[in-house]
Amino acid sequence: DTAVSQTPKYLVTQMGNDKSIKCEQNLGHDTMYWYKQDSKKFLKIMFSYNNKELIINETVPNRFSPKSPDKAHLNLHINSLELGDSAVYFCASGEAGELFFGEGSRLTVL
Amino acid sequence: SQKIEQNSEALNIQEGKTATLTCNYTNYSPAYLQWYRQDPGRGPVFLLLIRENEKEKRKERLKVTFDTTLKQSLFHITASQPADSATYLCALDISGSARQLTFGSGTQLTVLP
């Protein structure tokens, strides 16, 4: 069983479109995260949710909206996509330090 | 400003040797520090966590040290193997709860056969 699964693995879309990435974890963790990894491999936190409540929102454009329907799911919706949004987006969950990451969703905006 | 630096973007070593990777940080007072491994096209995988009151931690061929005075962690892989080739990321937690885990940019290690 995959601990943290995210879909889709690849997304190719045009500028201005809206897209969503879904994430689910079966580890029973209360806290889930979205990270963005750019072309230089720098992994940066975007959002953190604890038990469906937003606890960290780093400097991210409000075109990015996370949604957590329950503590096992944290989805990422992106409106009006821009070229600079092209990156790999990782979902993660964790308790007491160790993070478990999904396999990533590579978003390419043309 | 707060900063995490990993000593080099890429490191090549010969199989069987010890690989040593460095993570330096400034303006943080982390409760603990972690190391992750990332393979191409995959998500990071947790390797080791070391707390601020621990000097050293070991797991099989891996050893991590943490010097809060120097603000530095060293990550060692002994008897390295080609399968150890990957990008290694250090990560700092300044909140004590993993809620603000900040990553370095990684060191790409290649172990040559």
Side-chain angles (χ1 to χ4, degrees), chain B residues 10-82:
Chain B
L11 179 67
N12 294 339
I13 62 163
Q14 212 62 42
E15 183 176 6
K17 301 290 186 188
T18 296
T20 299
L21 283 62
T22 305
C23 177
N24 294 297
Y25 59 94
T26 58
N27 299 326
Y28 284 107
S29 295
Y32 54 79
L33 183 147
Q34 302 180 28
W35 284 87
Y36 286 77
R37 169 183 173 142
Q38 187 173 23
D39 290 282
R42 312 294 299 271
V45 175
F46 172 81
L47 295 174
L48 279 166
L49 179 153
I50 186 165
R51 300 187 186 283
E52 58 181 335
N53 60 350
E54 297 175 316
K55 295 294 183 193
E56 183 180 296
K57 203 86 171 272
R58 289 176 188 262
K59 179 182 174 183
E60 297 171 355
R61 293 184 297 111
L62 308 181
K63 184 178 90 171
V64 171
T65 61
F66 192 13
D67 189 325
T68 55
T69 303
L70 290 178
K71 295 188 181 295
Q72 182 182 80
S73 174
L74 298 179
F75 177 80
H76 305 275
I77 307 175
T78 57
S80 58
Q81 304 164 1

Side-chain angles (χ1 to χ4, degrees), chain A residues 33 35 37 56 97 99 103, chain B residues 32 34 36 38 42 98-99:
Chain A
Y33 307 81
Y35 278 83
Q37 189 169 45
I56 291 175
L99 288 190
E103 293 296 289
Chain B
Y32 54 79
Q34 302 180 28
Y36 286 77
Q38 187 173 23
R42 312 294 299 271
R99 292 179 183 178

Side-chain angles (χ1 to χ4, degrees), chain A residues 1-106:
Chain A
D1 270 350
T2 305
V4 181
S5 59
Q6 51 184 112
T7 55
K9 191 170 172 67
Y10 298 99
L11 268 171
V12 180
T13 188
Q14 299 284 335
M15 273 175 56
N17 284 351
D18 303 339
K19 288 293 177 187
S20 292
I21 307 171
K22 296 187 176 182
C23 179
E24 175 180 4
Q25 55 100 359
N26 62 7
L27 298 167
H29 294 150
D30 284 340
T31 310
M32 295 184 71
Y33 307 81
W34 278 107
Y35 278 83
K36 177 181 179 180
Q37 189 169 45
D38 60 24
S39 56
K40 294 184 180 177
K41 307 299 182 188
F42 192 58
L43 197 63
K44 186 167 178 172
I45 190 167
M46 300 172 68
F47 301 102
S48 170
Y49 265 74
N50 181 263
N51 204 8
K52 301 194 298 174
E53 289 192 26
L54 180 67
I55 53 172
I56 291 175
N57 180 356
E58 291 295 306
T59 309
V60 176
N62 57 14
R63 299 182 294 103
F64 290 78
S65 51
K67 291 215 170 27
S68 183
D70 55 62
K71 74 173 195 177
H73 295 84
L74 180 62
N75 303 323
L76 184 65
H77 188 76
I78 316 169
N79 290 329
S80 304
L81 280 156
E82 300 177 358
L83 293 177
D85 297 332
S86 295
V88 181
Y89 292 85
F90 286 99
C91 176
S93 73
E95 300 286 335
E98 179 180 349
L99 288 190
F100 294 81
F101 284 85
E103 293 296 289
S105 297
R106 179 176 292 277

